[in-house]
Amino acid sequence: MYQNKKAVLIFGVGPLQKSIIERSKKMGLYTVGIDPAEDAACRNVVDAFEIVGGQDYDGTCAVVEKYGIDAIVTAATDKPLVMMARVAEKYRFPFFSVDTARWSTDKFQMKQRFIEGGVPCAKGRLVKSVSEVGDFEYPVIIKPRDNSGSRGVKLCRSKAELEASMSEAFEVSKLDTILVEEFIEGPEFSIEGLHHDGINEVIQFTEKKTTEFPYNVELGHIQPANISEENKLKIREIVSKIGTALHFENCPSHTELKINDRGIFVIETSPRLGGDYITSTLTPLSTGVNLEDELLKISLAESINPQPKQVQYAGVRFFAFEEGIIIKHTPDVDFVKNWPHVVDFSFSLKEGDKVNRITSSLNRYGQLILQAGNRDAIEEAFDKYEKAIMEKSLID
């Protein structure tokens, strides 16, 4: 019976949480998942599943008490963080504060904390209409304050583009203002961290590949990133400042930043595990540290001492075929998985499907995950395999 095991409550039972559910089971935990969707993708993966609304505090507490929950976790999503912090406060689970959760899920409050804590970031302001943008120079970035996954985020090169894009941002927000920011040039990176026992620790540096503007959707990641040792040192100091400014404790962090000739600029952060297979797959492959396992230990009030080391290069690429092309054939998944360096492969388009434009992480349609001994090898394999899969899919 599960009473002989410690029970973990997992917020969200979708594909993004599948890996941490499986890691929980591997650690011998009884997994209880909650999700607003009756048909949640991983409802049959957890040991027990309950349908609970995302804002249903009393319903969530009832699940905690029904199963005698010992710990709470989630992965790759910001949406439940405030609820989780409230539940943790009530039951004294290891977690961060409600204030931290609120600052971290509102991009404007986050920016205010950055400024107060000396964290370098883009200038930004809240607006309800184009007339309130004021003296900002174009191009600018607009983004909803309360969403993630690049939803509603666009580059606007003119007042006309901004006006046309504002309604799109408001459609994916529950608030009556959106954030307008100065555009920061330069390559984008994410930093995977852990915050525990008063320590702000960087585990890995991730290099990003994104779509062309106006959308800025992530199309790939490689670890370790090509960053100078000098900048790595600066980034470690910045992550420490972030941890202090937002009171990160008992949590991982996923921080996005850009580097250019002016310096390092933090775009945003979150006290959660990174999505896009960054945490679940790439970081263990490239460092030997499984951040999901470390988070589970933290949530159970167990001590951790991660020792990251350079193991291999690891990366993921999301497919981005030409919009409007009709899929002629679908690649054989098992065949591709047997290619050298391939860790995993997925392709969701079917014969006859039309290739859509990628506007957020929600409408990507497949990915390839590789591991190799050096940067050149993984880049060459990605280029070769992406071309082969594209030709197989599009040519009669």
Side-chain angles (χ1 to χ4, degrees), residues 162-387:
L162 178 59
E163 193 160 16
S165 300
M166 286 185 99
S167 59
E168 188 175 337
F170 278 120
E171 282 177 4
V172 292
S173 176
K174 296 178 181 178
L175 303 176
D176 64 354
T177 56
I178 60 171
L179 182 61
V180 174
E181 291 183 338
E182 66 171 328
F183 174 60
I184 303 294
E185 297 277 3
E188 189 171 341
F189 304 88
S190 71
I191 314 302
E192 323 316 323
L194 279 173
H195 306 264
H196 60 98
D197 305 310
I199 301 168
N200 300 300
E201 186 171 14
V202 171
I203 302 299
Q204 185 56 292
F205 303 84
T206 308
E207 188 170 327
K208 293 178 177 289
K209 176 184 178 183
T210 62
T211 60
E212 297 293 329
F213 289 110
Y215 298 101
N216 188 43
V217 184
E218 294 168 3
L219 287 182
H221 310 278
I222 285 186
Q223 296 178 348
N226 185 18
I227 299 175
S228 70
E229 291 303 317
E230 178 183 4
N231 278 334
K232 285 181 180 178
L233 180 60
K234 291 178 181 178
I235 289 169
R236 292 181 194 277
E237 293 172 351
I238 289 170
V239 168
S240 184
K241 286 184 177 181
I242 289 172
T244 300
L246 278 82
H247 300 177
F248 282 178
E249 183 61 33
N250 297 319
C251 62
S253 67
H254 177 71
T255 300
E256 297 176 337
L257 54 82
K258 286 189 172 184
I259 302 176
N260 60 30
D261 292 341
R262 294 164 51 203
I264 300 170
F265 297 86
V266 175
I267 306 302
E268 56 191 61
T269 190
S270 183
R272 61 160 172 84
L273 298 168
D276 279 1
Y277 306 95
I278 291 171
T279 295
S280 60
T281 307
L282 303 190
T283 302
L285 290 174
S286 68
T287 69
V289 174
N290 191 305
L291 287 172
E292 292 176 334
D293 289 354
E294 301 305 315
L295 174 58
L296 287 163
K297 292 175 190 174
I298 288 173
S299 72
L300 292 163
E302 297 177 3
S303 61
I304 67 169
N305 183 29
Q307 298 292 324
K309 55 186 180 295
Q310 177 64 49
V311 179
Q312 291 269 294
Y313 277 77
V316 59
R317 288 265 185 98
F318 296 91
F319 301 115
F321 298 161
E322 184 180 344
E323 181 184 0
I325 294 291
I326 303 298
I327 296 297
K328 305 295 185 183
H329 306 282
T330 55
D332 184 284
V333 172
D334 292 333
F335 180 69
V336 174
K337 285 182 177 179
N338 284 323
W339 292 350
H341 306 300
V342 173
V343 174
D344 200 11
F345 166 66
S346 176
F347 193 79
S348 62
L349 295 178
K350 303 181 295 297
E351 184 177 328
D353 284 350
K354 181 184 291 187
V355 174
N356 58 269
R357 185 179 190 182
I358 296 173
T359 58
S360 81
S361 60
L362 295 178
N363 61 7
R364 295 176 305 199
Y365 40 82
Q367 70 279 333
L368 185 65
I369 300 175
L370 305 182
Q371 183 184 38
N374 58 68
R375 180 67 179 249
D376 288 344
I378 200 168
E379 291 278 15
E380 289 172 8
F382 268 130
D383 292 344
K384 176 181 177 181
Y385 295 164
E386 280 190 301
K387 181 178 180 182

Side-chain angles (χ1 to χ4, degrees), residues 107-108 111 124-126 141-143 178-181:
K107 291 178 173 60
F108 183 67
K111 188 176 295 293
R125 69 173 54 137
L126 295 182
I141 295 285
I142 64 165
K143 55 179 70 171
I178 60 171
L179 182 61
V180 174
E181 291 183 338

